[in-house]
Amino acid sequence: MAAAASLVAAVGTVAGMVSALDGPEGGDVARPRVTRSPDLLPLPAVPTATSASVSPGPSPSPSDAKTAKKKPKPAPSASTGRPVAPASTRLYRHADSQVVDWVRAHRSDPRRPLIESRIADRPAAVWFADFTPGTITSRVRAVTSTAAHEGRVPVLVPYAIPERDCGGASEGGAPDIAAYDGWARKFAAGLGSGEVVVILEPDALSQTECLSGGQLADRYAALARAGRAFKSANPRARVYYDAGHSDWNPAGTQAARLRAAGAASPDSSDGIFTNVSNFNRTSAEVAYARRVLAAMGGPPSLGAVIDTSRNGNGAPANGAWCDPSGRKLGQAPTLRTGERGIDAYLWVKLPGESDGCKGEPGSFAPDYAYDLAD
């Protein structure tokens, strides 16, 4: 990944996501299973001559080597790492995740009560990172129907854009734009009729340096079509587009990309998301999101959501990205932020899942989770 958010877990290794395999006859039969979630690594934007390697994850991918970047801007003064508000009861908590499995299997572990109460019991996003057109509708529907039955709002992350991760550790996705269009339409067919939040393709508009001009135009058009398909299939779907984060692309640059991808149109978009899997403080992301929204020039109804899963102490001053010590959980997930233009604080990255230093990339690391929650 070319800037502050890069993935180490490859497609097909996504935890916290509802995953299913095509049946023996290719039927659209949902079979939820827990795998691993993508880990967006907070690497700042300007390349240097040095590089750092990350151990490859268990799924087939070429190389997990990542290029080191210059350090991000220093974080503002420290604040408490504990969640400052209870989680919204309206957000959906997916019961099939690595942290939930760990809690169930370790009832006598002294770390369990804290991890359970502060992480496992919180609502978090459900990732769909595998390109399985034959099952995507039923797998999305399995989440949205369960959430609707509970009267809660699920957060879904479609993550199958072609040329994903620019050929890095999380390369994959659909083989081409036409295949992605079909996958997105099938994803839309599972959205149901209840309220749902869609975090559309993290990094797809922030990391584009590997694309030719034609490929970039195709990506913009595909994301616009996906947003329209989601909102057409379910008018209550709230679709948010990738704005990177405050230490990555300038607000004007990101706003131009967002406009090109349809994010300024209410027919396809409800706004933007920032800080996915990163550590930047909420205050910095709020200010950045507002600058991006202003530069986009869309209707005032557009808003922003911010990933607060690990930003309680802000980003490390030394630019460390791999399970850095001293980080804490941020603002608990909620649909009521009290901030103008900020629609939600969400846990898109699943806290406690390793970046690759305190466990295998994407695996649940209880010591890391405990440190985040303590």
Side-chain angles (χ1 to χ4, degrees):
M1 210 167 246
S6 190
L7 298 171
V8 295
V11 64
T13 55
V14 181
M17 113 182 149
V18 172
S19 181
L21 302 176
D22 287 321
E25 299 179 4
D28 192 18
V29 179
R31 289 193 289 143
R33 66 183 173 91
V34 177
T35 48
R36 295 179 177 176
S37 70
D39 295 292
L40 294 122
L41 309 184
L43 303 180
V46 180
T48 69
T50 62
S51 65
S53 295
V54 177
S55 300
S59 62
S61 66
S63 169
D64 283 346
K66 296 293 178 184
T67 303
K69 314 292 182 180
K70 81 173 185 180
K71 292 190 290 186
K73 299 174 184 176
S77 57
S79 64
T80 178
R82 289 183 172 84
V84 298
S88 169
T89 57
R90 292 188 60 222
L91 282 167
Y92 172 69
R93 184 184 72 89
H94 187 44
D96 189 9
S97 67
Q98 291 188 90
V99 62
V100 171
D101 283 351
W102 184 88
V103 164
R104 289 169 179 159
H106 297 83
R107 300 304 299 175
S108 61
D109 191 299
R111 298 166 295 181
R112 191 271 307 165
L114 191 68
I115 291 174
E116 182 174 22
S117 63
R118 294 192 174 165
I119 297 179
D121 285 349
R122 302 287 185 178
V126 184
W127 289 73
F128 297 84
D130 55 335
F131 180 70
T132 51
T135 60
I136 189 62
T137 299
S138 61
R139 291 187 292 114
V140 173
R141 185 180 294 127
V143 176
T144 57
S145 61
T146 301
H149 179 73
E150 296 177 5
R152 298 188 178 185
V153 180
V155 178
L156 310 182
V157 186
Y159 186 63
I161 197 75
E163 302 296 329
R164 190 177 64 194
D165 200 24
C166 279
S170 288
E171 66 177 349
D176 53 46
I177 291 296
Y180 181 75
D181 284 344
W183 185 87
R185 288 191 296 270
K186 292 182 176 182
F187 190 103
L191 290 176
S193 58
E195 187 177 358
V196 57
V197 173
V198 179
I199 304 299
L200 178 58
E201 297 293 345
D203 293 343
L205 295 175
S206 299
Q207 182 191 22
T208 62
E209 68 279 358
C210 64
L211 303 177
S212 68
Q215 288 174 318
L216 186 56
D218 287 345
R219 176 173 290 190
Y220 290 155
L223 291 171
R225 287 192 295 269
R228 289 195 299 270
F230 298 160
K231 293 187 71 65
S232 177
N234 179 357
R236 299 184 67 192
R238 295 158 60 180
V239 180
Y240 296 89
Y241 282 66
D242 171 42
H245 60 75
S246 58
D247 282 329
W248 200 342
N249 298 312
T253 299
Q254 199 68 25
R257 297 177 182 182
L258 286 157
R259 281 196 304 272
S265 169
D267 291 336
S268 55
S269 170
D270 291 87
I272 63 175
F273 62 83
T274 78
N275 210 42
V276 168
S277 222
N278 216 313
F279 303 91
N280 292 328
R281 290 186 182 278
T282 302
S283 58
E285 294 305 300
V286 167
Y288 170 71
R290 287 173 175 163
R291 292 196 300 273
V292 173
L293 288 169
M296 280 169 58
S301 60
L302 298 183
V305 299
I306 296 169
D307 186 353
T308 59
S309 57
R310 303 190 297 180
N311 73 345
N313 274 356
N318 62 1
W321 57 262
C322 186
D323 303 330
S325 61
R327 302 312 97 202
K328 297 296 178 184
L329 301 175
Q331 167 72 49
T334 181
L335 297 174
R336 295 188 179 94
T337 69
E339 289 279 358
R340 174 183 54 83
I342 309 300
D343 295 345
Y345 300 137
L346 302 176
W347 285 7
V348 182
K349 161 71 180 180
L350 307 178
E353 293 191 2
S354 175
D355 297 321
C357 291
K358 296 185 178 180
E360 288 293 321
S363 65
F364 181 73
D367 283 340
Y368 181 38
Y370 185 85
D371 289 344
L372 286 170
D374 188 21

